[in-house]
């Protein structure tokens, strides 16, 4: 048993506790969270308690990562925009040996563990990360990602995803830390037919969905007018642009109606998402009850706003590719559930949730620490379905991080994370 105390305990499920004490079992289960005795702390050290200067919070949840791309660290130039990034990643992705790829995956996971991450929503286009995930070092939900614009190939692409999921399910039977689902890559890389196959699978399996959303202005332009940089990039790459959908609406409004509103949905990046987009999307979720006929399903959805739609931000990747952040005030004003992702080392310098928070704080210093840590912990755990993680509560095993060098409950450039549990 351990008793651990810090200047503040951010349980996330309640208000921060000054001089609080977290008591954990030998298997790292939370036994109790109590108020501390500041007088004892200041005058007479209790040998049974580990005292730390800083704040303690739950282990971080990384809801969007591409661990399989870890070998591409520093291989792609910064600020080339999404069309340029797509072109670069396609051209260099296969120029590496299996050993280089596997070594980078191991190093990437070790980096996440060191940086206090306890669970990951990880994108997989193949089985290259499965060997490492099987070791059970972290909780993983693997998003088996599919893409193809040709509707004639939708069935073939979907069946390959089913086969990859079955391969992953063999690992899931060995480890409670693993789960998976089949998801689309992005609105502009899947045909309507493929999107419907994915959606049907999610509905039947009650599985969670993830999709890249509005990562560039060119993505919206593609759907509105079938023009712009992504359109030109695809055309120059020899992709049949007749397969691209022109709807007259932006990519979010052109895609969200095809997704299963009975499942949890993660919209990733949202760099060019407007407040009107957020409000519109949340309204679609709230109205979904009229489309659900089964009363048992209805009973599971008491608060559509908080239970169904989640918005993931990957600040450092957004800066790396587009040199732009989403407007976080929109998400706060609309009271939606935000999560944090690192994206891949092809579009980021580190796999650190703390580094993502630092980037947010630079431009949005007014966002409270409690809100930032909610995004970085509980919201992600709730979306991925890892109920033991995300908050410091009796009976849970969330992991404990110490944030050092906190200035008046504000994250600064000097803030560091130390994994305690």
């Amino acid at each position: 048993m351990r008793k651990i105390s810090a200047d503040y305990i951010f349980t996330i499920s309640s208000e921060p506790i000054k001089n609080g004490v977290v008591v954990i079992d030998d298997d790292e289960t939370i036994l109790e969270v109590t108020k501390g005795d500041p007088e004892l702390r200041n005058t007479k050290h209790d040998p049974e308690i580990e005292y730390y200067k800083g704040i303690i919070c739950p282990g971080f949840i990384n809801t969007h990562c591409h661990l399989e791309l870890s070998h591409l660290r520093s291989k792609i130039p910064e600020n080339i925009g999404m069309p340029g990034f797509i072109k670069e990643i396609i051209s260099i992705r296969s120029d590496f040996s299996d050993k280089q790829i596997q070594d980078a995956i191991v190093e990437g996971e070790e980096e996440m563990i060191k940086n206090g991450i306890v669970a990951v929503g990880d994108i997989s286009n193949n089985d290259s990360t499965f060997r490492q995930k099987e070791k059970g070092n972290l909780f993983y939900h693997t998003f088996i990602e599919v893409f193809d614009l040709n509707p004639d190939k939708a069935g073939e692409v979907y069946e390959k995803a089913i086969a990859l999921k079955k391969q992953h399910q063999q690992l899931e039977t060995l480890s409670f830390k693993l789960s998976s689902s089949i998801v689309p890559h992005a609105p502009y890389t899947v045909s309507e037919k493929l999107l419907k196959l994915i959606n049907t699978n999610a509905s039947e399996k009650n599985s969670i969905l993830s999709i890249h959303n509005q990562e560039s202005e060119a993505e919206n332009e593609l759907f509105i007018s079938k023009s712009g940089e992504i359109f030109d990039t695809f055309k120059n790459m020899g992709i049949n642009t007749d397969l691209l959908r022109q709807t007259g609406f932006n990519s979010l409004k052109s895609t969200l109606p095809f997704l299963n509103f009975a499942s949890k949905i993660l919209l990733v990046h949202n760099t060019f998402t407007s407040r009107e987009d957020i409000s519109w999307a949340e309204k679609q979720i709230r109205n979904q009850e009229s489309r659900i006929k089964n009363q048992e399903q209805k009973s599971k959805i008491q608060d559509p706003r908080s239970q169904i739609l989640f918005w993931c931000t990957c600040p450092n990747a957004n800066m790396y590719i587009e040199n732009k952040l989403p407007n976080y005030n929109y998400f706060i004003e609309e009271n939606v559930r935000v999560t944090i992702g690192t994206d891949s080392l092809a579009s980021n310098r580190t796999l650190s949730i703390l580094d993502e928070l630092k980037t947010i704080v630079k431009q949005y210093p007014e966002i409270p620490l409690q809100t930032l840590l909610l995004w970085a912990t509980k919201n992600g755990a709730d979306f991925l379905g890892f109920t033991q993680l995300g908050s410091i509560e009796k009976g849970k095993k969330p992991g404990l991080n110490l944030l050092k060098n906190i200035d008046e409950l504000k994250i600064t450039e000097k803030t560091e994370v130390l994994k305690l549990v």
Side-chain angles (χ1 to χ4, degrees):
M1 186 175 69
R2 294 171 65 187
K3 297 180 180 180
I4 305 172
S5 179
D7 296 325
Y8 284 90
I9 308 295
F10 277 67
T11 68
I12 308 303
S13 57
S14 63
E15 291 299 312
I17 303 173
K18 191 172 184 178
N19 298 308
V21 178
V22 183
V23 183
I24 62 171
D25 203 343
D26 291 340
D27 70 350
E28 302 179 352
T29 301
I30 305 294
L31 297 177
E32 190 178 14
V33 184
T34 65
K35 294 181 179 180
D37 184 344
E39 291 301 317
L40 177 63
R41 178 167 186 157
N42 292 332
T43 61
K44 183 181 178 183
H45 184 79
D46 185 337
E48 292 188 355
I49 299 177
E50 302 172 34
Y51 289 101
Y52 295 95
K53 185 171 180 56
I55 73 165
I56 289 173
C57 69
F60 292 136
I61 313 295
N62 181 1
T63 53
H64 184 75
C65 185
H66 298 253
L67 188 60
E68 67 188 16
L69 300 182
S70 296
H71 59 289
L72 298 182
R73 188 198 294 258
S74 303
K75 301 298 182 183
I76 298 177
E78 297 183 35
N79 303 146
I80 59 176
M82 183 49 58
F85 182 81
I86 292 170
K87 192 173 181 179
E88 286 286 330
I89 204 165
I90 290 174
S91 67
I92 70 169
R93 184 170 180 175
S94 61
D95 296 340
F96 298 85
S97 68
D98 182 64
K99 184 178 186 307
Q100 288 175 307
I101 293 171
Q102 290 301 318
D103 287 348
I105 288 169
V106 172
E107 291 173 6
E109 184 184 75
E110 289 174 348
E111 185 174 332
M112 286 195 283
I113 293 171
K114 180 181 178 182
N115 287 318
I117 292 169
V118 295
V120 186
D122 188 56
I123 301 291
S124 287
N125 297 131
N126 53 54
D127 64 357
S128 62
T129 60
F130 290 7
R131 192 186 313 169
Q132 190 63 28
K133 290 171 180 175
E134 186 180 6
K135 297 177 182 178
N137 297 325
L138 292 172
F139 286 82
Y140 283 99
H141 182 91
T142 296
F143 294 109
I144 296 171
E145 184 181 78
V146 297
F147 52 88
D148 199 290
L149 283 169
N150 190 341
D152 294 336
K153 293 184 177 180
E156 176 187 346
V157 172
Y158 175 72
E159 288 304 319
K160 287 182 179 179
I162 290 291
L164 188 59
K165 179 171 172 54
K166 287 181 179 178
Q167 184 180 342
H168 191 276
Q169 284 176 320
Q170 294 176 359
L171 305 181
E172 294 173 32
T173 60
L174 302 175
S175 175
F176 68 94
K177 290 186 175 183
L178 303 178
S179 56
S180 63
S181 56
I182 298 173
V183 302
H185 166 250
Y188 57 91
T189 58
V190 290
S191 66
E192 189 174 309
K193 184 176 180 181
L194 182 55
L195 199 57
K196 287 179 178 178
L197 286 172
I198 296 167
N199 185 63
T200 299
N201 179 272
S203 181
E204 292 174 351
K205 305 296 183 183
N206 194 30
S207 57
I208 61 177
L209 291 170
S210 168
I211 185 169
H212 296 74
N213 176 63
Q214 295 175 304
E215 198 170 354
S216 70
E217 190 59 57
E219 179 182 323
N220 285 330
E221 191 176 358
L222 181 66
F223 282 87
I224 293 169
S225 61
K226 206 171 180 179
S227 63
E229 291 186 35
I230 290 181
F231 179 86
D232 293 339
T233 297
F234 281 8
K235 188 173 182 178
N236 293 335
M237 291 170 62
I239 295 172
N240 183 1
T241 53
D242 291 340
L243 299 174
L244 296 168
R245 291 186 291 145
Q246 181 180 351
T247 64
F249 302 102
N250 66 30
S251 63
L252 177 63
K253 292 183 178 180
S254 301
T255 306
L256 188 62
F258 289 99
L259 299 181
N260 177 25
F261 287 1
S263 297
K264 290 181 287 187
I265 302 169
L266 184 70
L267 300 175
V268 181
H269 290 299
N270 314 298
T271 319
F272 291 83
T273 301
S274 68
R275 182 173 180 180
E276 190 274 334
D277 286 333
I278 299 169
S279 178
W280 174 86
E282 291 289 339
K283 186 178 180 180
Q284 303 308 300
I285 298 299
R286 292 196 296 275
N287 291 342
Q288 59 80 41
E289 284 192 329
S290 64
R291 293 185 287 270
I292 297 178
K293 298 178 180 179
N294 186 293
Q295 190 63 38
E296 183 180 351
Q297 284 182 295
K298 280 186 179 181
S299 68
K300 296 178 182 177
I301 306 171
Q302 298 176 359
D303 181 0
R305 172 185 292 265
S306 67
Q307 297 296 327
I308 301 299
L309 198 58
F310 293 73
W311 304 78
C312 176
T313 180
C314 306
N316 287 329
N318 298 155
M319 294 299 293
Y320 194 105
I321 297 173
E322 292 280 346
N323 197 30
K324 178 178 171 59
L325 292 180
N327 188 325
Y328 294 108
N329 289 328
Y330 295 159
F331 300 98
I332 293 172
E333 289 162 1
E334 291 295 326
N335 190 31
V336 299
R337 299 196 77 175
V338 177
T339 70
I340 307 289
T342 62
D343 212 350
S344 74
L345 288 173
S347 59
N348 206 338
R349 299 181 190 87
T350 65
L351 297 179
S352 167
I353 294 298
L354 177 59
D355 285 349
E356 304 298 328
L357 299 183
K358 287 180 179 180
T359 297
I360 295 174
V361 167
K362 282 181 184 177
Q363 293 194 30
Y364 293 85
E366 71 278 8
I367 300 178
L369 182 58
Q370 175 82 343
T371 298
L372 292 171
L373 292 180
L374 172 66
W375 294 357
T377 59
K378 190 176 187 299
N379 282 356
D382 287 350
F383 171 70
L384 294 174
F386 295 133
T387 57
Q388 290 296 299
L389 310 178
S391 59
I392 302 175
E393 299 179 72
K394 184 177 180 180
K396 289 193 172 188
K397 298 174 64 173
L400 298 178
N401 288 340
L402 174 71
L403 299 185
K404 303 186 293 182
N405 303 321
I406 292 285
D407 184 12
E408 295 182 349
L409 297 185
K410 293 285 185 181
I411 290 173
T412 72
E413 274 300 309
K414 294 182 178 179
T415 302
E416 298 176 0
V417 58
L418 174 65
K419 179 178 173 62
L420 297 178
V421 175

